[in-house]
Amino acid sequence: MTVRDALNSAIDEEMSADSKVYLMGEEVGEYQGAYKISKGLLQKFGPDRVLDTPITEAGFTGIGVGSAFYGLKPIVEFMTFNFAMQAIDHIINSAAKTNYMSAGQISVPIVFRGPNGAAAGVAAQHSQCFAAWYGSCPGLKVLSPYSAEDARGLLKAAIRDPDPVVFLENEILYGEAFPVSAEVLDPSFVLPIGKAKIEREGTDVTVTAFSKMVGYALKAAEILEKEGINVEVINLRSIRPLDRATINQSVRKTNRLVTVEEGWPQHGIGAEICTSVVEESFDYLDAPVERITGADVPMPYAANLERMAVPQIEDIVRAVKRACSRSARGK
Amino acid sequence: MAYVMRSSPSVQSGSLAPHSSASSVSSSASSSSYILRLGALNSQRSGRLSITRRAIGTANRRTRKPHGVSASTSELVAEKPSIKNALAITREEGLILYEDMVLGRSFEDMCAQMYYRGKMFGFVHLYNGQEAVSTGFVKCLKPEDYVCSTYRDHVHALSKGVPARAVMSELFGKATGICRGQGGSMHMFSKEHGLLGGFAFIGEGIPVATGAAFKTKYEREVLKNDKADAVTVAFFGDGTCNNGQFFECLNMAALWKLPIIFVVENNLWAIGMSHYRATSVPEIWKKGPAFGMPGIHVDGMDVLKVREVALEAVARARRGDGPTLVECETYRFRGHSLADPDELRKPAEKAHYAARDPIIALKKYLLESGLVDETDLRSIDKKIDEIVEDAVEFADASPLPPRSQLLENVFADPKGFGIGPDGKYRCEDPAFTAGTAQV
């Protein structure tokens, strides 16, 4: 199943199961979705539940939040999360903070979803990764799926969740197909929010990643396997809350950590994971933590520069080798 | 720039298209007369704008002369004869309006006292002078209706029914506040009373209010609940009317015919920025017809006029005819907040509006019309004094929030992160799936 179909089926099933769920965004209706994620939904559920909005992120996001205050369950689609910056006031100030400000009276069961991070050649204003920004905000749950199973399970969990969820997808992954079990196709399949998945078990080094970088990490692991390095790959799935238990448990087993992300290095996801491990598993580390991130620049347009600005499989391989070649006490 | 007296008919009449039926225009230049302008999009025809002009006499008149209106006026005017004459209020209604405004005024005055005594802190924005707008609109609403406000929200909360004790405790930051001390002056939320907040950023409340109106429409049309007819009133100021979110919501509310009333409390000043220095077209009511809804200008210092407009706008929304933009000319007697030295406003302007104090005006009207006598009003004043004093005592005696409250209520999930009350992951609970889905 492709990630696109996984997302489509998840929204379809949740909208069928609960009539309070509705989808709103630019081009989600008649255009069948800017990336065809909402294909067929307008025909099935009608224009009252699949709303094409004008280009007014701040306005329609606020409308979604306001309707969620009293019990509706909106799914707000942003054409990319870059455009959500026009609505970020409502994501943070009206959605994330309201349950706290109202002392539990008003909860906001809303999902904000859309593609996040770099695509291909779309340049600086269309390529930012927002995982770190949203991941630092209390009151939000932030999820980022990799495979079709992740996409289905996490989106269904997000829609059913009583709190605001930021759901960071990836445009490049939409078309990628993954094998899925029958359990995943069941309409009541959900994945827990806040639990990471160990995609590949290993013993020598832990590599954490989310979204597209999980695929790169897995490919790097295959290359490294041939050189005798046994890599454990963790698919974070959930940026907030971060599954610190799984990460720390893994590092205590392998003693080495490499974090991989597409976003900018300063204050990124890798920085938080590194700190968590240093705080909780310092004695188990045999080498300093390696962070692989996007380059500290706005995304360039030229194809060769873009390739240099985002982590590639070779970068992960090199970082793992660096982590493994440093040793404690000269071993 | 010279202060413009906007209520003088001579300023406005030149800009209106004369109407063929020649409804009688009151030529009185009394400062309390106003001109009601409706730009209504007539959806039955081809969508051309029909502009109607109608003038209502001075506040001294207790009944309104029936007008000869022609068939091509807006639906609102055509329905006029069937709506009861709103200026003739009953004794009970008059007392309710008076009590609500006095509560608002006394409460805010007490807030100022408490602030200077250090019991209240942070940003406090008081509503003195604008009571007619809150009372005029909120007292037309049902308990199920929604009100969305800004940081100047104490009086909206009180008018909507939040107890004075709960508001005062919230301002003192005590655990008995309406938000248990976690919101504060600028973030009053009450699910029970339909108060959607309390927003610090101007313009932020407008889309949220539009969402609540959207929810009413969704309930009626998708969830098939015929009884869903809650109306939403969004209050905001003149400064907000230059903000993008305001226009975005005017557009969508008109596009989707949402049951919302956009109420502009135009007090001419956004902190120290005069409305005329900030706005290319200062007549905010004109922005309604540009988006396909009626735009109305009303004297916000006169609670009876505000109430008359409010009743019509609320009835319109409840019927399903869509949104209305109402600009209330009003004034805040104090500074923007208690930290504002208020040096830029001219004394002559302040004196002019002080003379139009809405509470004094209503009191005068009620006494002169013989609906009430002095003792009735004095007993209300006394009752309100007691309520406000009691609120302060209650807030003073209330405990501070316990330390454990710091980490509570970040999420609706009681243990956060998808874990239900029994400690297990919600998604593992078979009851988590509601209904069946056919894919």
Side-chain angles (χ1 to χ4, degrees), chain A residues 200 215-227 229 231:
Chain A
R200 183 187 201 281
Y216 283 29
L218 288 170
K219 294 206 186 73
E222 278 168 37
I223 296 172
L224 288 159
E225 188 68 51
K226 299 192 188 80
E227 306 193 19
I229 301 178
V231 177

Side-chain angles (χ1 to χ4, degrees), chain A:
Chain A
M1 182 181 233
T2 61
V3 171
R4 180 178 283 117
D5 289 338
L7 294 167
N8 182 283
S9 63
I11 300 174
D12 192 334
E13 285 163 21
E14 293 305 306
M15 284 181 75
S16 302
D18 186 348
S19 51
K20 294 202 288 290
V21 178
Y22 70 94
L23 176 65
M24 161 156 84
E26 293 157 14
E27 311 293 10
V28 296
E30 296 195 3
Y31 197 80
Q32 308 294 309
Y35 297 99
K36 306 295 179 242
I37 306 297
S38 53
K39 188 166 179 199
L41 295 180
L42 174 67
Q43 283 68 33
K44 184 166 177 188
F45 296 103
D48 286 332
R49 296 185 66 195
V50 179
L51 288 108
D52 278 323
T53 60
I55 307 175
T56 50
E57 272 77 10
F60 71 71
T61 305
I63 289 181
V65 172
S67 70
F69 272 22
Y70 274 87
L72 295 188
K73 294 185 177 183
I75 305 170
V76 176
E77 173 171 316
F78 295 114
M79 206 179 278
T80 74
F81 263 94
N82 301 281
F83 309 142
M85 277 204 278
Q86 299 208 329
I88 200 168
D89 173 40
H90 282 290
I91 298 176
I92 308 291
N93 278 326
S94 327
K97 295 180 183 173
T98 294
N99 199 62
Y100 191 81
M101 285 197 294
S102 69
Q105 292 175 74
I106 299 182
S107 81
V108 191
I110 191 170
V111 175
F112 304 105
R113 49 160 293 270
N116 174 58
V122 291
Q125 293 185 353
H126 279 71
S127 308
Q128 189 172 335
C129 174
F130 290 88
W133 285 18
Y134 291 121
S136 71
C137 182
L140 283 182
K141 296 176 185 172
V142 182
L143 302 174
S144 192
Y146 160 63
S147 61
E149 173 186 335
D150 289 355
R152 249 182 81 77
L154 291 176
L155 186 54
K156 282 159 88 62
I159 294 169
R160 296 182 194 186
D161 197 280
D163 289 306
V165 180
V166 171
F167 197 81
L168 305 171
E169 302 159 3
N170 187 291
E171 198 219 315
I172 312 276
L173 286 177
Y174 283 155
E176 204 166 310
F178 294 85
V180 285
S181 65
E183 185 205 352
V184 173
L185 295 171
D186 185 276
S188 41
F189 173 73
V190 268
L191 285 173
I193 292 179
K195 291 207 80 62
K197 180 183 179 194
I198 301 194
E199 290 281 349
R200 183 187 201 281
E201 293 234 3
T203 53
D204 295 335
V205 61
T206 300
V207 174
T208 63
F210 62 94
S211 191
K212 193 169 86 192
M213 291 292 122
V214 175
Y216 283 29
L218 288 170
K219 294 206 186 73
E222 278 168 37
I223 296 172
L224 288 159
E225 188 68 51
K226 299 192 188 80
E227 306 193 19
I229 301 178
N230 193 244
V231 177
E232 175 148 299
V233 176
I234 299 183
N235 172 4
L236 290 174
R237 282 183 169 172
S238 176
I239 307 293
R240 186 176 185 95
L242 203 53
D243 191 351
R244 295 164 211 273
T246 301
I247 297 169
N248 277 283
Q249 197 176 38
S250 172
V251 171
R252 288 178 183 211
K253 183 174 74 173
T254 64
N255 308 121
R256 289 162 215 278
L257 176 60
V258 174
T259 68
V260 185
E261 66 192 290
E262 244 187 0
W264 294 323
Q266 188 164 342
H267 312 300
I269 306 295
E272 178 62 29
I273 294 177
C274 174
T275 303
S276 170
V277 164
V278 162
E279 282 173 354
E280 294 179 38
S281 312
F282 181 67
D283 294 318
Y284 293 82
L285 280 172
D286 282 349
V289 175
E290 294 271 348
R291 270 188 306 177
I292 302 294
T293 68
D296 200 14
V297 294
M299 186 66 66
Y301 169 65
N304 64 326
L305 293 180
E306 190 181 26
R307 228 176 299 121
M308 292 195 320
V310 179
Q312 302 298 333
I313 299 174
E314 309 85 64
D315 297 314
I316 304 176
V317 169
R318 267 203 304 274
V320 169
K321 284 188 182 158
R322 268 199 312 269
C324 290
S325 65
R326 289 177 203 229
S327 49
R329 300 188 193 93
K331 259 196 299 206

Side-chain angles (χ1 to χ4, degrees), chain B residues 232-281:
Chain B
T232 305
V233 179
F235 291 100
F236 48 94
D238 44 283
T240 307
C241 295
N242 295 321
N243 188 280
Q245 291 181 82
F246 168 62
F247 298 111
E248 292 182 17
C249 290
L250 287 183
N251 178 45
M252 284 189 274
L255 188 66
W256 295 333
K257 274 194 148 188
L258 300 179
I260 183 170
I261 301 139
F262 297 102
V263 179
V264 185
E265 295 168 326
N266 185 351
N267 56 24
L268 298 180
W269 292 88
I271 307 188
M273 189 65 168
S274 152
H275 178 57
Y276 298 105
R277 284 183 65 212
T279 316
S280 57
V281 178

